[in-house]
Amino acid sequence: MAVLVTGGAGYIGSHMVLALLDAGHEDIVVLDDLSTGFDWAVPERVKLVIGDVADQALVAETIRVHRIDALAHFAAKIVVPESVSDPLGYYLANTVKTRSLVEAAVRAGVKHVIFSSTAAVYGEPEVVPVPENLPLKPINPYGRSKLMSEWMIADAAVAHGFSYVILRYFNVAGADPEGRSGQSTPNATHLIKVATQAALGQRERLDVYGTDYPTPDGSCLRDYIQVSDLAEAHRVALDHLRAGGESLTLNCGYGRGYSVLEVIEVVKRVSGREFEVRFCPRRAGDPAQIVAEASLIRDRLGWKPCHDDLDAIVAQALSWEDRLRKRNQV
């Protein structure tokens, strides 16, 4: 049986494909419309189907032809401020299309679903670190669109008898340590990517949105998880489900927070370069601090992160930007 990775030509999805290959899984199919992903990010021995996850006929045919038993769904829009200005676009991409995909998967007999969710479902958490059982109060359309999809998947699983793992990401960063993939979207908003681009002279400056938050230095506090560790969490989730494991909803983070200003200092130190930092007003939809209570994923899935080192994460991001620059010059 095979696994279908939607968004597998993108940042996190491509690392999931690498994690599967590294673990000996060969039956992998990627479905991606290449709107933000890249065909070169998919290894040659992996089948790439170009299309929309909401194309139910295409999804059904792909599942049938490749004997898909598991779905890992990464395809989504992910920029919080953009979700505030374009909520309907986010509900379409993250909620409506997920509903269509899950319906097609159910009809085709898919047994297991792994869903890429987000810590944004917690909103402004009253408890930090954030446990999975905290009340869900998203404060932006991105978080709401993902929470709606969580509800749909859980309800559909009860009705139709499939199992699932929902993984709530905190802030994803870094790149494959072997340099095979990384964050490649030209206008990405991830802090570490933007900061490394500023350090390398690819951006004029770095904007910091808000320095008056109730945090130690006034800037937002986040839990940064290395992308290969996150991909490995998905891989062990797949093994868990295929072994008959129960459905789960789990945080993916390290349980340690760094402020925006702390990250900037690490980027400057690791790169050995200074760059301009401009302080701007807060952006709509940004919580002050959000850090994972991450013990449950270790207990239930036996997940053991290997890359919990901010300096190393920044070094990976810098190295990937150099590789990407050379690729784009070809």
Side-chain angles (χ1 to χ4, degrees):
M1 303 301 283
V3 56
L4 177 63
V5 181
T6 69
Y11 179 34
I12 303 172
S14 66
H15 285 82
M16 170 60 163
V17 171
L18 293 175
L20 290 168
L21 291 173
D22 290 346
H25 296 268
E26 293 293 336
D27 294 327
I28 307 164
V29 181
V30 167
L31 173 60
D32 201 302
D33 65 4
L34 302 183
S35 59
T36 57
F38 302 88
D39 55 3
W40 51 258
V42 180
E44 289 185 0
R45 66 183 188 272
V46 173
K47 172 67 175 178
L48 170 62
V49 178
I50 301 174
D52 195 320
V53 296
D55 184 340
Q56 291 191 326
L58 176 64
V59 171
E61 179 68 3
T62 301
I63 292 171
R64 184 189 66 79
V65 168
H66 297 283
R67 300 179 65 241
I68 303 292
D69 75 312
L71 167 67
H73 180 33
F74 295 90
K77 288 180 175 288
I78 62 169
V79 181
V80 169
E82 183 181 66
S83 79
V84 175
S85 62
D86 182 25
L88 295 180
Y90 271 68
Y91 289 122
L92 172 61
N94 295 353
T95 310
V96 176
K97 290 191 177 186
T98 295
R99 183 216 168 275
S100 180
L101 174 68
V102 171
E103 181 179 49
V106 165
R107 288 178 174 175
V110 169
K111 300 299 184 185
H112 314 298
V113 173
I114 302 170
F115 179 60
S116 164
S117 192
T118 171
V121 300
Y122 297 114
E124 286 277 9
E126 298 176 359
V127 177
V128 178
V130 182
E132 286 87 350
N133 60 1
L134 201 69
L136 304 176
K137 300 177 182 179
I139 61 174
N140 52 61
Y142 169 56
R144 293 186 190 109
S145 69
K146 285 289 195 173
L147 180 55
M148 289 179 184
S149 293
E150 285 194 16
W151 289 338
M152 283 194 297
I153 290 167
D155 289 343
V158 172
H160 300 288
F162 65 85
S163 58
Y164 65 85
V165 172
I166 293 169
L167 296 175
R168 293 174 178 160
Y169 308 170
F170 284 64
N171 282 51
V172 189
D176 171 52
E178 297 181 27
R180 295 171 294 178
S181 189
Q183 171 54 276
S184 305
T185 308
N187 298 314
T189 60
H190 298 69
L191 172 61
I192 289 178
K193 180 177 179 70
V194 173
T196 55
Q197 288 178 328
L200 296 171
Q202 298 172 6
R203 292 179 183 248
E204 292 183 5
R205 61 180 176 269
L206 171 65
D207 291 338
V208 174
Y209 296 97
T211 56
D212 59 347
Y213 286 97
T215 59
D217 64 16
S219 66
C220 289
L221 196 71
R222 298 289 185 267
D223 187 336
Y224 293 90
I225 179 172
Q226 199 271 351
V227 64
S228 298
D229 274 344
L230 179 61
E232 180 65 8
H234 290 77
R235 187 197 67 77
V236 297
L238 175 63
D239 289 350
H240 165 84
L241 293 176
R242 281 178 165 171
E246 64 181 320
S247 294
L248 297 167
T249 298
L250 303 168
N251 287 338
C252 284
Y254 292 147
R256 180 192 306 109
Y258 294 93
S259 74
V260 171
L261 298 182
E262 286 175 325
V263 170
I264 290 171
E265 288 307 309
V266 171
V267 172
K268 288 182 176 181
R269 174 166 49 77
V270 173
S271 67
R273 300 184 183 183
E274 286 291 327
F275 50 89
E276 180 185 353
V277 176
R278 183 175 67 173
F279 298 104
C280 305
R282 296 185 185 189
R283 295 184 302 190
D286 280 344
Q289 59 178 323
I290 188 159
V291 175
E293 208 314 311
S295 59
L296 193 59
I297 189 171
R298 299 169 191 251
D299 293 342
R300 296 295 181 89
L301 297 184
W303 175 68
K304 296 179 180 179
C306 299
H307 306 286
D308 181 5
D309 183 313
L310 187 59
D311 283 39
I313 290 170
V314 168
Q316 293 160 9
L318 286 162
S319 177
W320 179 253
E321 287 303 323
D322 187 54
R323 287 174 179 266
L324 192 61
R325 177 184 58 81
K326 292 176 181 176
R327 169 179 286 279
N328 292 337
Q329 287 176 344
V330 174

